[in-house]
Amino acid sequence: MADPVREEKPRGLGDWRRERASAFRREMFPYLRYVAQSGFAMLLAAIGITLLAGYAGLLSDMPPTWPADVVGVALVFFASIYTPLRSYLQPADTVFLLPAESGVLTANLYPALRRSALFGALRALIVFVIFAPLYAKAPVTAEAAPAKSAEWAALAAAIALVAGWNTYAAWQERRAVSATARLALRFARWTAVLLAAAALLTKPLPLAAGFALLVAAAVSTAAMLTPRHRLPWDRLIAEESAARRRWLAFLGWFVDIPTEAPPAASRAWIAWIADRVPRNRRFAWHFLYAKTFLRGEAFGAFWRWCVLMVVIALFARSTAVDVMVYVVGMVVGGLQLTELGRIRFAEHASVVPLSPDGRQAAASAVVRVAGLAAAALLWLVAWAPHAAGSPVWWLIALALALVWTGWLLPGRLAAKDEEEEL
């Protein structure tokens, strides 16, 4: 007797998201071995060991003026504010999945939001637990630190709740119809998290918790009064595309892989620099690379990274920390600049009759100028608070950064094989 035919379980709306997530991981996984072979893991290990040594040094010999309040607020803020949401939506979904919008929300996005909120709360909680010994020992925050274990637990729970609320507020921000409203809600959300973190770490817990609840309620109310989409299809699709491009750009530091064309940004405040390139055939590739760099995603990631390093350097107030921040900032920032060497300009091949000769040299020239400018500016910001001290370590750090950004990275680009077709 033949076995009865098994009925296949009907596919739910959540299945396609799991399949796309699995496909994305299978696509990215083969490239990770190149990341491991490049020494990037050793760099991260070295940074971790340095941070651990600095942490132990602070615990054993805490400077009386070490700004534990500023450092703690910054750590909690950055740990809480990150709200990734991988929806795995694609442009075609606005046609095929739009009729099932309610099901997509229930089966796809709401579970992803809950996971994002949980991970955000755990991330903020872990950061606070690591920082807590410094927070309790530093003279600046010793009075504000809890005295009992129950108070510590309540403070940790309050910080985790702020991080979880941030995910909810970010979702309401994504739903806003107007781009101006999204920007305003984002600024309000960041301000609320910053103020809540500052209150929780510097004020009595009952007063700080009430204040955090008040600012969170104000931002949530403002979001509710803003016209919103039920499900922001276009916004989520754009974020998913950007997340995929960031992964490919990161992996592109270690291995040559195909990338997706990024959208162009106007950036009138900085793009004018490319217009100063001489207008002749000799510098045509220089102009194309400079304009593409200044209006592309590579520059966006680069300047945001530099700003983050500047903020950390300004608040650290420690020579060792500032030197480390400067060196790490230049190493990672320089790797971001090498993304420029993978631009192919394929869409311009038929209308820009340029010889490929000198293309990589032009890319290396743009990388050299950008790297040297960032190295000099970031060095001035990090060194300025310590100008009265010994300049030896700062001069060594500057020399290393100039060699890295002005010689090693541009040389790496200029040596690339130029036999590829445009």
Side-chain angles (χ1 to χ4, degrees):
M1 182 176 180
D3 293 335
V5 178
R6 293 183 179 180
E7 294 184 1
E8 294 186 1
K9 183 180 179 180
R11 288 173 49 122
L13 282 172
D15 293 340
W16 62 267
R17 184 183 183 278
R18 287 190 291 271
E19 291 174 359
R20 290 180 184 180
S22 178
F24 177 81
R25 289 191 291 268
R26 288 196 302 269
E27 180 184 359
M28 298 295 115
F29 184 78
Y31 299 114
L32 295 180
R33 66 186 181 93
Y34 295 101
V35 178
Q37 293 172 359
S38 68
F40 185 72
M42 295 184 63
L43 174 62
L44 293 180
I47 294 173
I49 293 173
T50 303
L51 292 175
L52 184 60
Y55 181 86
L58 285 174
L59 280 179
S60 61
D61 185 17
M62 175 68 67
T65 59
W66 191 70
D69 50 352
V70 176
V71 174
V73 170
L75 289 175
V76 172
F77 173 78
F78 287 114
S80 303
I81 207 67
Y82 181 55
T83 56
L85 179 61
R86 294 299 303 273
S87 64
Y88 296 100
L89 290 175
Q90 299 175 2
D93 294 334
T94 57
V95 176
F96 296 102
L97 290 180
L98 186 59
E101 185 173 89
S102 298
V104 171
L105 279 170
T106 303
N108 184 316
L109 291 180
Y110 287 160
L113 280 170
R114 286 192 291 269
R115 285 192 294 271
S116 180
L118 177 61
F119 289 147
L122 288 176
R123 183 173 57 248
L125 188 60
I126 291 172
V127 169
F128 175 71
V129 169
I130 294 174
F131 176 72
L134 299 177
Y135 174 65
K137 189 171 183 178
V140 177
T141 55
E143 293 184 2
K148 301 178 180 178
S149 57
E151 295 176 352
W152 278 106
L155 178 57
I159 290 175
L161 288 174
V162 169
W165 168 84
N166 177 72
T167 301
Y168 165 79
W171 168 246
Q172 301 303 322
E173 169 195 314
R174 289 181 174 97
R175 294 176 59 194
V177 174
S178 169
T180 303
R182 285 196 300 271
L183 183 62
L185 289 175
R186 181 177 306 169
F187 177 77
R189 174 171 62 89
W190 288 7
T191 303
V193 173
L194 184 64
L195 293 177
L200 290 171
L201 293 179
T202 60
K203 303 297 180 183
L205 183 58
L207 180 63
F211 176 76
L213 182 61
L214 180 63
V215 294
V219 175
S220 299
T221 302
M224 292 177 63
L225 297 177
T226 302
R228 295 169 296 167
H229 297 291
R230 188 184 184 198
L231 196 162
W233 292 91
D234 293 337
R235 185 64 190 166
L236 292 176
I237 290 171
E239 287 188 4
E240 179 61 29
S241 299
R244 180 180 174 82
R245 287 195 301 271
R246 285 194 296 269
W247 268 102
L248 294 176
F250 167 74
L251 295 173
W253 298 349
F254 309 98
V255 60
D256 191 14
I257 59 176
T259 58
E260 300 176 1
S266 59
R267 296 201 184 102
W269 60 276
I270 191 68
W272 60 270
I273 294 179
D275 297 330
R276 299 298 183 268
V277 177
R279 299 298 182 91
N280 57 57
R281 191 177 186 86
R282 176 185 174 187
F283 294 99
W285 282 117
H286 293 74
F287 173 80
L288 283 174
Y289 273 108
K291 205 70 168 180
T292 303
F293 171 64
L294 294 174
R295 297 189 62 188
E297 282 193 337
F299 179 76
F302 180 65
W303 80 262
R304 286 191 295 269
W305 172 256
C306 290
V307 168
L308 176 61
M309 294 298 101
V310 166
V311 171
I312 295 176
L314 288 176
F315 287 113
R317 301 178 189 175
S318 168
T319 301
V321 174
D322 283 349
V323 170
M324 182 184 66
V325 166
Y326 177 70
V327 172
V328 172
M330 284 297 94
V331 170
V332 177
L335 291 175
Q336 289 177 332
L337 290 177
T338 59
E339 177 71 12
L340 191 64
R342 299 194 301 123
I343 296 175
R344 299 294 180 264
F345 298 111
E347 65 273 21
H348 303 301
S350 61
V351 295
V352 182
L354 294 175
S355 170
D357 297 336
R359 183 167 64 88
Q360 295 296 344
S364 66
V366 174
V367 168
R368 180 180 295 109
V369 172
L372 291 177
L377 292 176
L378 185 56
W379 184 83
L380 287 175
V381 173
W383 166 78
H386 314 284
S390 175
V392 176
W393 288 109
W394 286 107
L395 292 177
I396 293 175
L398 177 62
L400 292 175
L402 294 179
V403 170
W404 172 249
T405 59
W407 180 48
L408 294 178
L409 288 177
R412 175 184 174 185
L413 285 183
K416 278 189 173 183
D417 187 11
E418 297 189 33
E419 295 180 356
E420 302 167 348
E421 295 184 358
L422 291 177

